[in-house]
Amino acid sequence: MDQSFIDRARRGDQEAFTSLVLHFGDRLFSVAYRILRDTGRAEDAVQQAFLNAWRELRNLRDDDRLEAWLYRLLVNACYAEVRHTTRWQPGLRLITDLDSGPIADDAQLSVADRDELERAFRKLSAEHRSVLVLHHYLGYSGDEIADVLGLAPGTVRSRLYHGRQQMRAAIEADSRAITSRGMA
Amino acid sequence: MTRSIDIDQVLDDWLAEGPRQLPDRVVDSITADIGHAAPTRRWRLPWRNHVYRNYFALAGAAVIVFVAAGLAVSLLANLPGIAGPSPKPAPTPTASPTGSASPSFVPTATPLSEEFRVTALLNGFLQARIAGEGAEAYLEGAEYSNHFPPLLYQTTSGARYDRAEFEPVSGIEWPYERDAYKVRLFAGDTVVEQLMFWGADYPLKLIYTDFGYGTEIAPTTENGQPVASTYKYLGGQVTLRAAHPWVMSNSDGNGFGRLTPEGPGVAPTTDGGQRTEWDELFIMGDPEHVPFDEGCLSGTTAVDATSLADSIRSDPSLETTAPAAVTVGGANGVMMNVRRFSGASLCASVNEDGSFTDHWPVLYPIFSQASERNEFNGHYSYQSTGEWMKLYLLDAPEGASLQVLAIAIAAPRTTFDRAVEAAAPVLDSIEFHLP
């Protein structure tokens, strides 16, 4: 990202800020979708994150941390989405969501697996989901996540551990339920 | 029977699936949002005037208060040295000997009323500051920006705080649906006042900004005097100290600051989008001059202050005064006033992607932010604000990675003298730091 875009956006240049949106928008949306599991809410979270960035950009101290800061704003916007949205969420994901991005090797993840994962993930808190997404999707280490989100490293490790455990437990429980139904 | 699961691999694979492209309509919507910079506001009554409209609401509030009482009492009561307004219409929690709140306590999201939540945050924050530790946990975003209040645990002289109080700041429509509170910390005869904010976007944290949303209220004062902060620009090679009414950017590269308006006719409003014209101060490393009459073709970066001044003075499209020798921060150079009449075009040498080539144009401070960017000869031009710009061009000390430091003060004629006067202590504080 060219430094002059950040400088100009900081001074209030809307065109330069739009360049930032175009540069970072896809990445932020990808993360928001994976946390919220809903395209519309992810779009809302991204919009709110960029609006907050526009308001606060002047105060960003280190331009090299722009992306990390945007992720912080985004994750906070996702938390707000979760808090403010009370509408019922279906337990199963929409098939159309799968159509709009790459799909991993089917040999590893079957449709049933995906359903289990979706159900298990939706049961996690937004805080746990965020840490899992930053780690497993963006590839951030625990310390990097702590830095981005302003958490203690121990808190991040704890959330990662419990998030994984809950996912594993939920998947295994689903597996057992399916197996027992199949045997009945 | 259960399967053996490599949960890390499963999550890696599963999270790799899904949409990755932000729809264009969302980009358009964001662009439209920032174009309407004036924030939405909610109508809020001051704390002390909360009125419940009916008995159902009163009953609901009573239930919430009852449920919250256990937490609230521990937070609101018996906090030594802290005084604040009591939420109404509650059976206000009274002091009890149940012990004090832990300084590191941060409440979790509960159905508490806003008043209780903010009161709990402020009480915990102030108690931690008196205790000398843990106040950082109450602040949002401090590690990314100057959202960190100065004098957090002690006064300038090193005295520790012994008591504190807070009150809501009413009479101003704060931007971004935030509420403001003035906190007051006492250390003997010394009083430190700071402006703290709370908003629904960060319900579990308090927010401090070193610009205080641009009102006439200084974000931090000590015995009534604004407290200056240090700002680093150009990779830390240039530092300066600035206090209210200056609002400085926190960028690591080129810097700029704005002077909060004051005086008759200036409303006690904020910079939450209401203001578009400011008196400004710029810090630019190795700026470039791109002459308009030469077709806006790419300019050159001067190797020293004098040659850059000569290039500007030889540009017939500009009005300039005779350069005068100056010394700022131990660096020698020249100072002159520069202007191009309002609405006239100014050149910005811009790459195809819209970025400046390598350096800011030296005339950037008088580019109108409201003007359209026009293409001219394959390059871009903006319109001039018509403002005068007092321009300092300094030869950077040997060993610095930059050749020329430009400092510009840009303001309309009516406020130009005030801006120059207000910039004087900032210029006096400028120091070079060799890498």
Side-chain angles (χ1 to χ4, degrees):
Chain A
M1 190 73 227
D2 190 283
Q3 171 74 38
S4 71
F5 282 114
I6 305 172
D7 284 332
R8 286 163 51 198
R10 184 180 270 122
R11 198 189 166 205
D13 185 328
Q14 295 175 15
E15 193 172 275
F17 188 79
T18 301
S19 298
L20 298 184
V21 173
L22 292 171
H23 187 81
F24 291 106
D26 289 350
R27 270 177 275 178
L28 264 61
F29 174 69
S30 296
V31 170
Y33 171 78
R34 281 153 182 81
I35 294 171
L36 296 169
R37 315 304 300 173
D38 182 291
T39 305
R41 294 165 74 196
E43 290 172 2
D44 289 347
V46 170
Q47 188 165 342
Q48 188 57 51
F50 274 121
L51 195 55
N52 287 342
W54 169 250
R55 296 163 175 170
E56 305 284 352
L57 184 60
R58 179 179 46 214
N59 283 315
L60 178 65
R61 188 165 41 212
D62 181 357
D63 292 348
D64 291 339
R65 302 200 67 195
L66 174 64
E67 187 169 2
W69 179 65
L70 288 172
Y71 283 133
R72 161 77 77 94
L73 297 179
L74 179 73
V75 169
N76 279 323
C78 288
Y79 292 165
E81 274 296 317
V82 171
R83 278 196 304 272
H84 295 154
T85 308
T86 56
R87 69 175 185 240
W88 177 76
Q89 290 295 306
L92 296 175
R93 73 191 305 185
L94 297 171
I95 294 297
T96 51
D97 286 339
L98 295 175
D99 295 337
S100 48
I103 297 176
D105 184 355
D106 271 344
Q108 294 179 28
L109 283 177
S110 67
V111 172
D113 286 333
R114 292 192 180 94
D115 285 346
E116 291 169 10
L117 288 164
E118 191 72 40
R119 275 197 295 269
F121 197 74
R122 286 176 185 277
K123 291 175 185 171
L124 297 179
S125 71
E127 288 78 6
H128 285 86
R129 291 189 215 174
S130 303
V131 169
L132 287 179
V133 170
L134 292 182
H135 181 69
H136 288 282
Y137 180 65
L138 290 182
Y140 281 12
S141 69
D143 286 348
E144 286 171 331
I145 296 170
D147 185 45
V148 167
L149 298 184
L151 298 170
T155 303
V156 173
R157 283 194 291 274
S158 169
R159 286 182 185 174
L160 270 176
Y161 175 78
H162 289 291
R164 287 193 193 108
Q165 288 296 99
Q166 288 180 56
M167 289 293 286
R168 181 196 300 277
I171 293 165
E172 288 177 350
D174 270 4
S175 296
R176 281 193 297 274
I178 291 168
T179 303
S180 62
R181 280 198 300 272
M183 293 171 69
Chain B
M1 189 176 75
T2 58
R3 292 176 296 169
S4 172
I5 296 171
D6 179 353
I7 194 66
D8 285 336
Q9 188 61 50
V10 167
L11 285 168
D12 285 351
D13 292 344
W14 179 64
L15 287 171
E17 300 174 357
R20 294 166 181 264
Q21 192 169 1
L22 184 66
D24 290 344
R25 60 181 164 72
V26 181
V27 175
D28 293 343
S29 185
I30 293 168
T31 306
D33 273 354
I34 64 173
H36 299 90
T40 57
R41 298 189 186 88
R42 61 184 164 168
W43 172 248
R44 298 196 74 237
L45 293 166
W47 279 12
R48 293 181 183 281
N49 290 337
H50 268 183
V51 176
Y52 279 79
R53 297 172 192 275
N54 58 48
Y55 289 111
F56 294 106
L58 184 59
V63 169
I64 290 171
V65 166
F66 181 78
V67 170
L71 172 63
V73 166
S74 68
L75 293 168
L76 299 173
N78 201 31
L79 297 182
I82 299 174
S86 300
K88 290 184 178 181
T92 306
T94 54
S96 80
T98 54
S100 61
S102 161
S104 61
F105 176 80
V106 177
T108 54
T110 69
L112 294 176
S113 67
E114 282 185 5
E115 291 88 342
F116 271 112
R117 189 175 288 175
V118 177
T119 301
L121 281 169
L122 286 163
N123 272 323
F125 176 62
L126 292 175
Q127 195 197 24
R129 295 181 70 170
I130 292 171
E133 62 178 0
E136 295 87 347
Y138 292 83
L139 297 167
E140 170 57 34
E143 62 273 43
Y144 286 99
S145 56
N146 277 12
H147 286 320
F148 213 74
L151 309 178
L152 193 61
Y153 295 115
Q154 57 191 24
T155 66
T156 303
S157 66
R160 295 280 297 273
Y161 301 122
D162 50 44
R163 62 194 172 90
E165 63 185 24
F166 64 87
E167 62 181 328
V169 181
S170 54
I172 297 175
E173 291 184 4
W174 296 101
Y176 317 134
E177 300 186 2
R178 286 184 178 157
D179 298 326
Y181 303 88
K182 185 170 278 189
V183 303
R184 208 168 283 119
L185 293 116
F186 302 88
D189 295 335
T190 304
V191 183
V192 170
E193 282 191 333
Q194 282 170 332
L195 203 53
M196 303 298 301
F197 294 90
W198 179 87
D201 46 349
Y202 300 109
L204 305 181
K205 298 277 187 171
L206 295 168
I207 300 162
Y208 175 84
T209 71
D210 65 349
F211 66 101
Y213 293 115
T215 67
E216 78 282 17
I217 303 172
T220 296
T221 62
E222 189 175 37
N223 287 340
Q225 296 303 308
V227 174
S229 297
T230 298
Y231 297 87
K232 297 179 181 179
Y233 297 115
L234 301 168
Q237 293 184 84
V238 176
T239 62
L240 58 82
R241 287 181 60 74
H244 179 84
W246 281 106
V247 172
M248 301 300 297
S249 72
N250 284 300
S251 55
D252 190 48
N254 294 315
F256 80 94
R258 289 171 167 168
L259 190 60
T260 302
E262 64 180 10
V266 176
T269 183
T270 74
D271 76 335
Q274 295 94 331
R275 293 200 176 109
T276 54
E277 300 300 329
W278 299 74
D279 303 341
E280 293 183 300
L281 172 68
F282 291 81
I283 307 291
M284 301 179 285
D286 289 334
E288 185 179 47
H289 180 227
V290 193
F292 182 78
D293 287 357
E294 293 176 18
C296 270
L297 300 176
S298 184
T300 54
T301 306
V303 294
D304 59 58
T306 304
S307 59
L308 182 55
D310 289 345
S311 170
I312 294 168
R313 294 203 74 204
S314 65
D315 183 339
S317 70
L318 300 175
E319 248 183 279
T320 60
T321 59
V326 292
T327 300
V328 177
N332 296 320
V334 295
M335 181 274 292
M336 59 186 179
N337 292 346
V338 181
R339 190 173 84 114
R340 176 140 167 79
F341 65 87
S342 178
S345 293
L346 293 169
C347 300
S349 185
V350 179
N351 290 324
E352 284 183 1
D353 64 359
S355 63
F356 296 137
T357 46
D358 294 310
H359 305 281
W360 278 17
V362 73
L363 302 179
Y364 180 64
I366 51 175
F367 284 12
S368 171
Q369 291 293 299
S371 70
E372 293 284 324
R373 191 179 70 174
N374 297 309
E375 189 170 339
F376 182 68
N377 260 354
H379 292 259
Y380 287 106
S381 67
Y382 293 79
Q383 288 181 315
S384 168
T385 58
E387 295 174 351
W388 274 106
M389 170 173 71
K390 185 173 282 293
L391 181 64
Y392 294 79
L393 300 172
L394 307 169
D395 290 317
E398 199 168 339
S401 67
L402 65 155
Q403 305 292 317
V404 176
L405 174 69
I407 304 166
I409 304 157
R413 179 193 300 271
T414 51
T415 55
F416 188 72
D417 290 343
R418 178 202 174 224
V420 170
E421 185 181 346
V426 179
L427 265 61
D428 287 344
S429 74
I430 285 179
E431 293 179 1
F432 285 90
H433 303 267
L434 299 181

